[in-house]
Amino acid sequence: MDLVAFDFDGTLSDSEMTVLLGEQCNAADEMAQITERAMNDEIEYATSLRERVALLEGLSMDATADAFEQVRLRPDAASVIDGLRADGVTVAILTGGFERGVEAALSGAQTSVDTIVANRLVAEDGELTGSVAGPLIEGTKDDALESIATEQGIELSDVVAVGDGANDLPMLEAAGLAVGFDPKPAVEPACSTTVDSMAALDSVLTERGVRSV
């Protein structure tokens, strides 16, 4: 398999970007409740994302930057990414979260990926407007995955998708190998296999021949 596509929040990272942002304006608990409902497929992801971002209206760009700097990769995530790329596998991150947070986490772990598809927070006059823009609001991860695969000349049957929440279902269902990372109950039936750590994921990728021994 030539392409591995990861979700970010809840998968590559155990941080939740919107919650970290919410902590900057005393909205973290409400953020977490909305996030949980979305990940369990109780409300549409686009609706949940807009509801969460609306709570951030007026947050300064300095506070936004502070939140993004707290985003971290899970233990061993960087080594999985580095190992895949060393083996010639294309690595992508497809997230409804925000590109700046992903980039901060990758930089902090001194690693990088080939492609990031993510959303962005809209700001004016040094403050967030409470709006969000990007390809993964209404757009779904299967479309983004297919676009990346087509650009790389890779068949979807040769793609691995790794995710945990309801918004990952489209790419999990489209990929040749669907790996649930401690998946939510609504997601597990769509998974070929499940793992609960990056070390376990690395073992699955090695067993399936995605990574070299």
Side-chain angles (χ1 to χ4, degrees), residues 94-126:
L94 279 58
T95 176
F98 311 112
E99 188 168 15
R100 282 185 58 195
V102 174
E103 290 173 342
L106 293 173
S107 176
Q110 297 184 317
T111 190
S112 61
V113 299
D114 298 286
T115 303
I116 299 171
V117 181
N119 296 321
R120 63 180 180 82
L121 297 168
V122 180
E124 289 181 4
D125 301 322

Side-chain angles (χ1 to χ4, degrees), residues 12-84:
L12 276 180
S13 173
D14 58 5
S15 307
E16 172 56 55
M17 273 186 256
T18 53
V19 172
L20 290 172
L21 288 158
E23 288 174 351
Q24 299 288 329
C25 55
N26 298 315
D29 289 345
E30 191 170 354
M31 291 274 193
Q33 292 170 7
I34 297 170
T35 298
E36 188 66 16
R37 291 175 63 207
M39 292 299 97
N40 284 318
D41 208 18
E42 296 172 14
I43 55 173
E44 291 187 355
Y45 184 78
T47 299
S48 77
L49 182 60
R50 290 192 175 100
E51 287 182 0
R52 285 176 283 166
V53 172
L55 297 172
L56 301 174
E57 182 178 1
L59 188 66
S60 72
M61 293 309 297
D62 286 344
T64 301
D66 287 344
F68 285 144
E69 288 301 318
Q70 297 176 52
V71 181
R72 299 285 185 271
L73 295 188
R74 288 185 185 278
D76 301 321
S79 63
V80 172
I81 291 170
D82 293 343
L84 286 167

